[in-house]
Amino acid sequence: MRLIRKASEIRRQVASARTQGKAVGLVPTMGYLHEGHLSLIRQSAAENGLTVTSLYVNPLQFAPGEDLERYPRDLAADQALCEAAGSDILFAPADAEVYPEGVDRHLTVVSVRPLSGLLCGRTRPTHFDGVSTVVAKLLNLVAPDRAYFGQKDYQQALIIKTMVRDLNFPVAVRVCPTVREADGLAMSSRNAYLTPEERAQAPVLQRALQSAARLIEAGERDGAEVAAYMAREIGQAPLARLDYASVVDPGTLRPAGRIEGRVLLAVACYFGKARLIDNLLVDPPVKGKGPPG
Ligand code: AMP
């Protein structure tokens, strides 16, 4: 596997793979790789002749006071993991390669409204503009045929899919399932911030989603009721500080009101320094199609 730092070099390598008839897959990450990332890399390696994993902690998507400086980093470990998962290239550019004019002097921003202002966008109002802008840059730099994202960041994946559609990026967006720890906690680089006590309580997010899904299964159709139920469940964990618990339309991210078709259950909460998110797509059982009895 090659480690590439330069934008000019990644362009050259991808162009050369293209001339050999290889399809190109891109897996954008911020590094500190875990099984969630590796599942995306494996999927790309299975579907493409060349897999590029990008590793870039994008300053534009962090607000002042967020964890940009202390975001966990371990390039040597990432290189080994990336290679073992089947990536051909690790593209780890410096800021000057991605923002040659300087991050603060960057003028063009891609904004996918109103999706970027809902759910996580309420607490992190500039975050998704930073994400869509850097992903647009990466898609232009690498020019992949396919790009891979995790369902763990459902809102992010929806925003990227929308951007790709609206701006005619010639790329197929693939969204892959959330990979979890044995106790249900969604894997995240930010789990490294958790103290042992916080870590022990963090699976409450997943448990709240699962019991809310059972509530819907049992017939509850009021989205606000289900959201309030998830908030109460998360409130049971003494160290959790809820950001939001929502039941929304999976396409618009607007509150579902009455649950009539597929809904997205989405939760976010703080445990000490870590802000954790999780989500679940739920289809209410169709009348007459459920199990007998
Ligand atoms: P990040 O490094 O956190 O920016 O994540 C890079 C990519 O990996 C994003 O598309 C995430 O949605 C995806 N990802 C992160 N955690 C998981 C997980 N637990 N399962 C599946 N995909 C994930």
Side-chain angles (χ1 to χ4, degrees):
M1 188 190 69
R2 296 195 51 175
L3 173 65
I4 293 181
R5 299 283 197 178
K6 297 267 177 228
S8 54
E9 182 61 17
I10 190 73
R11 282 190 197 284
R12 237 195 320 275
Q13 290 297 323
V14 170
S16 137
R18 274 260 151 60
T19 60
Q20 298 165 40
K22 290 182 180 170
V24 178
L26 170 66
V27 182
T29 82
M30 299 205 298
Y32 214 67
L33 301 181
H34 50 67
E35 270 303 314
H37 299 114
L38 302 182
S39 71
L40 304 182
I41 296 172
R42 288 189 201 105
Q43 187 65 31
S44 172
E47 293 180 352
N48 302 280
L50 183 84
T51 289
V52 178
T53 304
S54 65
L55 190 172
Y56 182 59
V57 182
N58 170 37
L60 202 63
Q61 71 193 64
F62 289 79
E66 287 188 344
D67 55 346
L68 173 62
E69 285 79 23
R70 60 194 171 82
Y71 195 84
R73 292 164 168 89
D74 187 345
L75 180 62
D78 285 349
Q79 256 179 289
L81 289 168
C82 212
E83 177 157 28
S87 191
D88 301 291
I89 292 175
L90 179 59
F91 175 48
D95 284 342
E97 289 293 312
V98 183
Y99 298 99
E101 70 295 352
V103 179
D104 296 337
R105 302 179 63 187
H106 180 77
L107 298 179
T108 305
V109 171
V110 180
S111 191
V112 182
R113 284 187 291 248
L115 297 176
S116 59
L118 304 171
L119 297 180
C120 291
R122 292 196 198 282
T123 329
R124 308 185 73 194
T126 58
H127 171 67
F128 288 112
D129 287 0
V131 170
S132 42
T133 302
V134 83
V135 172
K137 278 173 164 284
L138 290 168
L139 292 175
N140 283 331
L141 284 168
V142 178
D145 299 284
R146 302 185 182 93
Y148 296 80
F149 297 87
Q151 156 141 10
K152 211 251 341 192
D153 300 274
Y154 181 96
Q155 183 172 14
Q156 167 174 289
L158 179 64
I159 285 173
I160 299 303
K161 278 199 276 188
T162 306
M163 175 188 81
V164 160
R165 181 198 69 193
D166 290 354
L167 297 183
N168 308 89
F169 279 93
V171 65
V173 173
R174 294 266 199 273
V175 181
C176 303
T178 303
V179 177
R180 299 177 179 282
E181 304 284 358
D183 61 7
L185 175 65
M187 289 193 181
S188 164
S189 307
R190 288 191 167 100
N191 292 349
Y193 297 147
L194 298 170
T195 64
E197 295 74 24
E198 290 160 355
R199 173 65 188 83
Q201 294 180 22
V204 74
L205 276 84
Q206 163 68 358
R207 281 204 304 276
L209 293 169
Q210 291 296 341
S211 26
R214 285 195 293 274
L215 209 60
I216 295 172
E217 186 113 338
E220 178 61 64
R221 291 293 175 270
D222 184 334
E225 280 294 326
V226 177
Y229 173 84
M230 292 193 295
R232 280 197 302 277
E233 288 287 297
I234 291 171
Q236 309 261 315
L239 298 175
R241 191 161 59 80
L242 185 73
D243 181 0
Y244 66 79
S246 303
V247 179
V248 299
D249 178 296
T252 65
L253 306 183
R254 297 280 187 198
R258 194 162 168 76
I259 300 171
E260 270 154 359
R262 173 174 284 198
V263 286
L264 177 76
L265 312 183
V267 292
C269 76
Y270 297 90
F271 276 96
K273 289 195 207 111
R275 182 175 181 282
L276 305 185
I277 58 174
D278 204 346
N279 67 78
L280 187 64
L281 284 167
V282 177
D283 292 296
V286 180
K287 270 200 198 107
K289 291 230 173 119

